[in-house]
Amino acid sequence: ILRVHGRKVPLAPNVDLRILARGTPGFSGADLANLVNEAALLAARKGHRIVAMADFSEAFERVVAGLEKKSRVLNALEKATIAHHEVGHAIVGSLMPGGQKVEKISIIPRGAVALGYTLQLPEEDRFLMLEDEIRGRIATLLAGRAAEEIVFGKVSTGASDDLQKATDLA
């Protein structure tokens, strides 16, 4: 599907559609078309005539996490809190049953509410989660809040979305 959508886009030699496909399980055809179009737009804005793998990486973040919110200026304590929170997700998530490879950790605010995120990509399309994987996912979601408490001795409101997702899984 990526090949079909990428046919009309001049791709740089470093673009590997197989790598992109591995990182997009669960994407619909429309999601993949959006990814290719977003990468092409990013390359064009930079004045490039071909779309490079870096353009796809940025496009992927935009599609998955939203646009970067440059207007959100974080102070040093907020940055430290978010960084520790996200590292908590990454450490626990990589150790849990069904854990996924950590691709990226960011403390750059994106989208409507995300002040940071830990990007873990599944290695295959999955439709069911086993009980140990559900427990691992809940532990991963709660690990950001736990890291805040361990490092700072208190928690922030940054875990509200994680708590909602953990509740939904439970």
Side-chain angles (χ1 to χ4, degrees):
I1 295 172
L2 279 169
R3 238 182 255 120
V4 168
H5 292 299
R7 233 181 307 173
K8 297 179 183 175
V9 178
L11 302 176
N14 73 341
V15 173
D16 188 338
L17 295 179
R18 287 189 184 123
I19 290 173
L20 289 172
R22 269 187 261 145
T24 56
F27 274 43
S28 67
D31 293 332
L32 294 171
N34 188 26
L35 177 67
V36 172
N37 291 337
E38 190 66 40
L41 287 169
L42 287 166
R45 285 185 194 124
K46 295 175 192 171
H48 299 158
R49 294 184 186 271
I50 58 173
V51 181
M53 199 66 170
D55 299 315
F56 276 102
S57 294
E58 175 63 21
F60 180 84
E61 284 187 68
R62 284 177 168 222
V63 170
V64 171
L67 294 174
E68 187 176 325
K69 297 291 185 180
K70 294 180 182 184
S71 61
R72 283 195 197 134
V73 179
L74 305 173
N75 65 38
L77 178 60
E78 289 172 323
K79 287 179 185 177
T81 301
I82 294 164
H84 285 86
H85 180 105
E86 297 305 330
V87 167
H89 288 312
I91 291 170
V92 173
S94 64
L95 298 173
M96 289 286 107
Q100 301 163 341
K101 181 182 172 196
V102 175
E103 290 291 324
K104 183 175 186 172
I105 298 172
S106 175
I107 63 167
I108 297 171
R110 284 187 174 271
V113 294
L115 295 175
Y117 63 92
T118 301
L119 181 61
Q120 292 180 275
L121 297 177
E123 300 199 11
E124 62 185 356
D125 275 331
R126 296 276 309 271
F127 300 100
L128 296 174
M129 251 193 287
L130 301 175
E131 182 180 353
D132 63 338
E133 294 171 325
I134 295 168
R135 291 179 188 278
R137 185 71 186 123
I138 291 170
T140 301
L141 287 162
L142 299 177
R145 187 176 194 275
E148 289 180 28
E149 190 164 4
I150 290 167
V151 173
F152 299 103
K154 51 189 164 188
V155 296
S156 72
T157 58
S160 61
D161 187 51
D162 298 331
L163 293 170
Q164 184 61 55
K165 288 178 183 173
T167 301
D168 292 345
L169 267 176

